[in-house]
Amino acid sequence: MTGDPRPGGHQEAGSSHREQNRVHEHLVTERAGGVEVLRVDRPAALGALSRGMLLALREHLTDLHADESVRVLIVTGTGKGFIAGADIREYHGVSQRDFDAYQRLSRAVFDALAALPQVTIAAVNGYALGGGFEVALSCDLIVASDRARFGLPEINLGLLPGGGGTQRLARAAGVRFATEAVLTGRFYPARKLHDRGVVNEVHSPDELLPRTRELAATIAAKAPVAVRAAKRLVADGARMPLDVGLTVEQQVLSGLYATADAAEGVAAFLDKRQPTFTGR
Ligand code: CO8
């Protein structure tokens, strides 16, 4: 499992024509067809998250929250790093007060990501360690390169994961596996986490982004109101007792039945044609 992890980079064919926007020196976005790709572009530090990157992410995610033109967000990295955790160099020697402020800022970013109304997909190209694994766990879906490596190595620093690693991994993979990951700091290959149900799909490095875009396009083509409701229901349902979740499910479904898109979806099925959804 720990082995000799050598994640590799990915270059997507045909990506050059997409318009890019740099929201921070190390964060690049590009949009097409209701899908935004947010790429961490700091290969020299394997995507490690600095305070400046966290601040820019928090601001960008706040803007995105209100942007209905984006249906799906893909978060990815560059080269052999997805995100190799917090920037350890930047943390080194800081006061307790600054350490705690750093943690609160990280928490705000993970919470903002998890609270987005858009569907979020982590496209994990390489090392997803510490805060990087926690970013992926804060997304709705995880697609990974077969060279990706996941781990929570904070225990090696005499610390523990502070961005939800102890909580979200236990919910995603079960308490026993999360305990092993947190206590050993091991790095796991994507296939191991696919077997555990944490990773949805595993692809070759070259196929990672094209296949993630395909998944995003499939979701972006569905009725937008239904997609947002379904995403929220599944995510929130994990925190509810079953009987409460089942009741909320019926209430949300009843609301969807009244939408124009539901009428269109059923009519299109009966007419044997593709539906045209309008988001109403
Ligand atoms: N922070 C800052 N720089 C990093 C980080 C990081 N998390 N990870 C890698 N880098 C840098 C390396 O320092 C190196 O820089 P340079 O070339 O200037 O020396 C560059 O990225 C390339 O890394 P390596 O040369 O180490 O590449 P390898 O292929 O040999 O190894 C590894 C890759 C195994 C991923 C290795 O880099 C590694 O173990 N990185 C650290 C991973 C880690 O522990 N992440 C969890 C961080 S902890 C956290 O997220 C929250 C708590 C932070 C509190 C810190 C309090 C002091």
Side-chain angles (χ1 to χ4, degrees), residues 6 44-46 48 80 84-89 91 129 131 153 157 159 187:
R6 288 285 160 221
L46 305 181
K80 67 175 188 171
D87 186 330
I88 300 175
R89 288 174 198 273
Y91 257 104
L129 304 175
L157 304 174
L159 296 166
F187 293 178

Side-chain angles (χ1 to χ4, degrees), residues 2 11 17 53 74 89 103 120 131 228 232 235 238 270 277:
T2 313
Q11 289 296 327
H17 67 276
M53 291 163 76
I74 296 172
R89 288 174 198 273
Q103 291 303 308
T120 52
R228 285 186 177 214
R232 188 50 51 213
L270 295 175
F277 294 123

Side-chain angles (χ1 to χ4, degrees), residues 164-262:
T166 61
Q167 304 303 304
R168 287 199 171 97
L169 185 58
R171 282 164 175 76
V175 168
R176 221 170 286 283
F177 178 72
T179 304
E180 176 194 305
V182 169
L183 297 187
T184 63
R186 276 178 182 154
F187 293 178
Y188 298 97
R191 296 228 174 264
K192 170 85 178 174
L193 291 192
H194 184 260
D195 292 347
R196 305 240 27 135
V198 177
V199 166
N200 295 87
E201 298 178 11
V202 182
H203 299 293
S204 68
D206 287 348
E207 285 288 295
L208 176 69
L209 259 193
R211 298 294 290 272
T212 308
R213 284 187 195 278
E214 263 177 47
L215 176 62
T218 299
I219 294 167
K222 311 289 183 200
V225 182
V227 167
R228 285 186 177 214
K231 166 207 157 122
R232 188 50 51 213
L233 196 58
V234 175
D236 291 352
R239 294 200 298 268
M240 296 177 200
L242 183 61
D243 58 336
V244 176
L246 292 172
T247 301
V248 176
E249 182 185 75
Q250 293 211 324
Q251 289 166 347
V252 173
L253 174 61
S254 173
L256 283 178
Y257 183 68
T259 62
D261 278 350

Side-chain angles (χ1 to χ4, degrees), residues 10-276:
H10 64 276
Q11 289 296 327
E12 195 188 2
S15 60
S16 54
H17 67 276
R18 295 191 188 98
E19 197 179 323
Q20 296 194 338
N21 178 32
R22 208 166 267 277
V23 297
H24 178 275
E25 182 190 354
H26 300 309
L27 297 168
V28 185
T29 62
E30 55 177 54
R31 287 184 184 184
V35 177
E36 175 174 297
V37 177
L38 169 60
R39 184 167 58 83
V40 176
D41 181 24
R42 196 188 181 192
L46 305 181
L49 291 176
S50 66
R51 185 167 177 277
M53 291 163 76
L54 288 170
L55 287 167
L57 274 173
R58 188 177 61 179
E59 193 177 326
H60 182 66
L61 293 174
T62 303
D63 291 346
L64 198 58
H65 195 110
D67 190 338
E68 294 202 359
S69 70
V70 176
R71 310 263 185 89
V72 182
L73 172 69
I74 296 172
V75 182
T76 194
T78 305
K80 67 175 188 171
F82 171 66
I83 298 170
D87 186 330
I88 300 175
R89 288 174 198 273
E90 200 180 54
Y91 257 104
H92 183 64
V94 299
S95 66
Q96 179 79 49
R97 201 175 132 173
D98 286 348
F99 180 84
D100 293 345
Y102 214 131
Q103 291 303 308
R104 281 195 299 277
L105 174 59
S106 306
R107 167 87 192 264
V109 171
F110 295 125
D111 285 355
L113 185 56
L116 280 177
Q118 292 91 350
V119 173
T120 52
I121 309 175
V124 180
N125 51 295
Y127 289 110
L129 304 175
F133 194 0
E134 292 169 324
V135 165
L137 287 168
S138 300
C139 291
D140 300 312
L141 300 162
I142 303 178
V143 181
S145 151
D146 58 17
R147 300 211 195 143
R149 293 291 181 277
F150 298 79
L152 296 171
E154 288 87 344
I155 199 79
N156 298 329
L157 304 174
L159 296 166
L160 57 74
T166 61
Q167 304 303 304
R168 287 199 171 97
L169 185 58
R171 282 164 175 76
V175 168
R176 221 170 286 283
F177 178 72
T179 304
E180 176 194 305
V182 169
L183 297 187
T184 63
R186 276 178 182 154
F187 293 178
Y188 298 97
R191 296 228 174 264
K192 170 85 178 174
L193 291 192
H194 184 260
D195 292 347
R196 305 240 27 135
V198 177
V199 166
N200 295 87
E201 298 178 11
V202 182
H203 299 293
S204 68
D206 287 348
E207 285 288 295
L208 176 69
L209 259 193
R211 298 294 290 272
T212 308
R213 284 187 195 278
E214 263 177 47
L215 176 62
T218 299
I219 294 167
K222 311 289 183 200
V225 182
V227 167
R228 285 186 177 214
K231 166 207 157 122
R232 188 50 51 213
L233 196 58
V234 175
D236 291 352
R239 294 200 298 268
M240 296 177 200
L242 183 61
D243 58 336
V244 176
L246 292 172
T247 301
V248 176
E249 182 185 75
Q250 293 211 324
Q251 289 166 347
V252 173
L253 174 61
S254 173
L256 283 178
Y257 183 68
T259 62
D261 278 350
E264 164 65 5
V266 175
F269 174 79
L270 295 175
D271 294 349
K272 299 188 187 303
R273 62 174 171 81
Q274 289 299 313
T276 306

